[in-house]
Amino acid sequence: MAMWAGRFAKEIDKNVNDFNSSISFDWVMYKEDITGSMAHAAMLGAQGIISPEDSEKIIEGLKTILSDIETGELMIDPAAEDIHMFIEQELTDRIGDAGKRLHTARSRNDQVALDIRMYLKNRSKELKTELMKLIKVIVKLAERHTGTVMPGYTHLQVAQPITFAHHIMTYAWMLERDISRLDDCYKRMDVMPLGSGALAATTYPIDREMVAEALGFAGVTQNSLDGVSDRDFCAELGFVLSLVMTHLSRLSEEIILWCSSEFKFVELDDAFATGSSIMPQKKNPDVAELIRGKTGRVNGNLVTLLTMLKGIPLAYNKDMQEDKQAIFDSIDTVMLVLSAFTPMLDTMTIRKDNMRAAAAKGFINATDCADYLTKRGVPFRDAYKITGQLVRFCVENNLTLETLPLEEYRKLSDVFENDLYDAIDIEACVEQRNVLGGPSSEAVKKQIETFKQKVDI
Ligand code: ARG
């Protein structure tokens, strides 16, 4: 019999009940629901809205429900409408009339708003811990490779030489910004909506601050309609999760490229790669590919959240039940991804020699050759043109700028001297880029220090 049976002459249609029910996915909030109800019951008792005995009974009853769910003694009923109804019904079955008083001065609308905020706050903390682990692995890799020269690319064409440390630190900065976005979003989740009631608050003399304090919220929502209507924090967290995935997907794409026999810049540990069912030679970067693929579903969840919100009038509408699967799936996906990605990166072998050999190709030092002339008075555009001619000569004659004889250089400009070869040495090209934010080993070491201070590791 449904809780609202008084108003209805018939039982709900079985299919409608299943359709309407959210318990298959909102059961994960059982702990937050119970903790929230305990704080509410304590407040009702303290304010004299229910008797201290009933308040006590409710809290004790809820405690036993929580431990019974946790030990597996109490199974969550898949036929219940949602986790809120299930727990309230279970409480009433256990303690009788006192249980029926729990919902005084409360609606499921503010209850669910509370539960999601509490649940997502907890999950955000877990996520931050996992992101920090990944950041530490990246920094460790960078620290080992401040002298590992590799080609830097634009348009995936060899551009200028950098180091692997410089390259990989880029992802540390991206993730650091993601954490700061997560912290920011957390602040907006950390506002307690209970007391908003169904939409127009309540006539009972509730103490909302007391509930907020008991549940560890930094503040209380200031408008009852907003308190039950707001799912901005779901969309915002959904975006942060999408951006995390976008960053991981970009790095995954690079790892996939680097694993190819054309690059061979890295090799995955056997435990983090997969084979082929037919081609015996294969070692596939499935983890990285799956991360790239799962980014689509996390982006899809964000669109689900924004679309769910865009057309609904104030205050609660059942559409809002769709918030949970979307945001829960995004957070579950990112957590799952990190559990595979972080150890994969940690165990990946960097093929320094292949990186260095690739950096010797593609006239990567052409800018430095032009800069050599410019530093000796030739206007940059002229120097650029002369170097372009030199590169073309090398391409036609199968030479590199390092192997091109000085007399060929001097045919185009008598500014060239023997020290040209020092200026276009690949290691020198990296080390000369010794400005703040640059790739030289000294600059990157400073960068890593600044980073570590910023994220406090
Ligand atoms: N299961 C519902 C949800 O997730 C709880 C709120 C129900 N409120 C209501 N007025 N039907 O949104």
Side-chain angles (χ1 to χ4, degrees):
M1 191 68 86
M3 210 162 265
W4 55 73
R7 166 71 178 77
F8 291 79
K10 270 189 187 175
E11 276 288 300
I12 190 168
D13 176 89
K14 161 91 179 69
N15 289 334
V16 171
N17 187 61
D18 292 348
F19 176 67
N20 206 40
S21 170
S22 52
I23 197 145
S24 63
F25 48 87
D26 68 16
W27 70 269
V28 297
M29 305 191 300
Y30 70 86
K31 197 169 183 168
E32 288 78 11
D33 192 75
I34 291 173
T35 322
S37 288
M38 283 177 173
H40 180 65
M43 182 279 290
L44 292 178
Q47 293 296 100
I49 299 168
I50 62 173
S51 71
E53 298 74 41
D54 281 346
S55 170
E56 194 65 18
K57 263 189 167 173
I58 292 172
I59 293 168
E60 281 312 307
L62 288 169
K63 266 188 205 159
T64 61
I65 293 175
L66 179 59
S67 75
D68 289 353
I69 293 177
E70 253 146 27
T71 57
E73 195 138 311
L74 173 61
M75 300 306 281
I76 290 169
D77 177 9
E81 189 187 337
D82 55 30
I83 190 63
H84 326 292
M85 292 295 218
F86 171 74
I87 286 166
E88 192 185 332
Q89 186 60 55
E90 181 65 26
L91 182 71
T92 304
D93 291 349
R94 289 186 183 203
I95 66 166
D97 277 355
K100 295 187 199 160
R101 297 189 198 280
L102 168 63
H103 211 53
T104 313
R106 187 175 75 169
S107 156
R108 259 188 309 158
N109 297 350
D110 55 352
Q111 187 179 356
V112 71
L114 173 74
D115 292 3
I116 318 170
R117 283 175 186 262
M118 287 172 68
Y119 181 77
L120 293 180
K121 274 174 65 183
N122 290 335
R123 300 298 310 269
S124 297
K125 283 188 208 153
E126 290 169 23
L127 175 65
K128 188 171 170 177
T129 306
E130 292 311 308
L131 286 172
M132 281 307 297
K133 282 187 198 160
L134 174 57
I135 282 181
K136 282 183 191 157
V137 166
I138 293 175
V139 169
K140 198 169 72 179
L141 263 176
E143 282 176 325
R144 274 196 231 125
H145 290 284
T146 51
T148 302
V149 172
M150 72 178 280
Y153 299 85
T154 62
H155 313 270
L156 203 56
Q157 304 288 315
V158 166
Q160 291 171 343
I162 54 170
T163 61
F164 182 64
H166 195 53
H167 191 108
I168 201 75
M169 276 305 289
T170 311
Y171 290 99
W173 289 107
M174 292 183 199
L175 293 168
E176 179 274 321
R177 291 194 294 274
D178 289 338
I179 287 186
S180 117
R181 281 182 199 98
L182 193 61
D183 288 344
D184 206 40
C185 174
Y186 187 93
K187 281 186 224 150
R188 282 179 280 279
M189 288 195 282
D190 200 13
V191 189
M192 208 287 299
L194 206 67
S196 301
L199 76 159
T202 179
T203 54
Y204 296 93
I206 55 171
D207 182 348
R208 300 186 61 209
E209 266 97 9
M210 177 183 167
V211 176
E213 207 186 309
L215 298 174
F217 277 89
V220 174
T221 57
Q222 298 296 316
N223 177 314
S224 65
L225 276 173
D226 189 38
V228 289
S229 305
D230 175 17
R231 294 291 184 279
D232 294 2
F233 56 93
C234 295
E236 201 177 350
L237 182 62
F239 170 72
V240 174
L241 293 164
S242 266
L243 205 54
V244 168
M245 286 301 291
T246 303
H247 293 150
L248 298 181
S249 183
R250 285 183 83 170
L251 180 50
S252 292
E253 168 59 17
E254 299 213 282
I255 290 171
I256 295 162
L257 270 178
W258 294 341
C259 284
S260 69
S261 53
E262 287 74 12
F263 276 82
K264 281 204 195 94
F265 283 4
V266 299
E267 188 171 343
L268 297 177
D269 188 273
D270 281 359
F272 292 91
T274 49
S276 154
S277 63
I278 169 170
M279 295 164 283
Q281 83 282 15
K282 285 296 207 100
K283 183 168 174 185
N284 295 329
D286 278 24
V287 172
E289 289 169 47
L290 204 48
I291 290 169
R292 200 175 52 184
K294 281 182 188 291
T295 305
R297 91 190 248 172
V298 175
N299 289 351
N301 290 334
L302 174 61
V303 173
T304 297
L305 288 163
L306 292 170
T307 311
M308 179 274 284
L309 282 171
K310 85 178 175 65
I312 48 176
L314 301 180
Y316 180 83
N317 298 269
K318 189 74 172 187
D319 316 42
M320 292 164 87
Q321 183 166 286
E322 290 287 310
D323 59 358
K324 284 171 228 42
Q325 278 161 303
I327 192 65
F328 292 177
D329 182 68
S330 283
I331 198 142
D332 289 345
T333 302
V334 175
M335 291 293 281
L336 186 68
V337 157
L338 289 170
S339 73
F341 189 76
T342 305
M344 181 186 82
L345 206 66
D346 200 19
T347 52
M348 189 171 81
T349 306
I350 309 303
R351 296 266 174 252
K352 271 178 159 188
D353 295 351
N354 293 339
M355 287 185 177
R356 178 64 184 80
K361 293 182 205 155
F363 303 97
I364 201 163
N365 44 6
T367 314
D368 299 83
C369 178
D371 284 344
Y372 174 89
L373 292 175
T374 310
K375 284 174 189 166
R376 284 156 186 80
V378 181
F380 180 75
R381 276 295 158 227
D382 295 338
Y384 174 94
K385 193 173 167 199
I386 292 166
T387 309
Q389 287 166 330
L390 288 166
V391 167
R392 193 169 56 178
F393 183 84
C394 288
V395 171
E396 283 162 1
N397 295 282
N398 210 13
L399 291 163
T400 63
L401 289 174
E402 298 94 299
T403 53
L404 183 70
L406 187 61
E407 60 263 31
E408 293 298 337
Y409 277 98
R410 291 183 63 90
K411 279 185 196 160
L412 289 172
S413 167
D414 58 10
V415 175
F416 284 119
E417 302 287 351
N418 234 324
D419 60 354
L420 172 262
Y421 295 102
D422 298 333
I424 62 165
D425 170 74
I426 309 288
E427 272 69 25
C429 294
V430 178
E431 292 307 326
Q432 284 160 19
R433 290 176 159 73
N434 193 21
V435 295
L436 177 73
S440 80
S441 50
E442 194 188 329
V444 172
K445 278 179 195 152
K446 277 191 202 145
Q447 177 193 158
I448 295 172
E449 270 324 298
T450 308
F451 183 87
K452 285 167 85 175
Q453 267 173 21
K454 182 144 202 207
V455 297
D456 199 19
I457 53 171

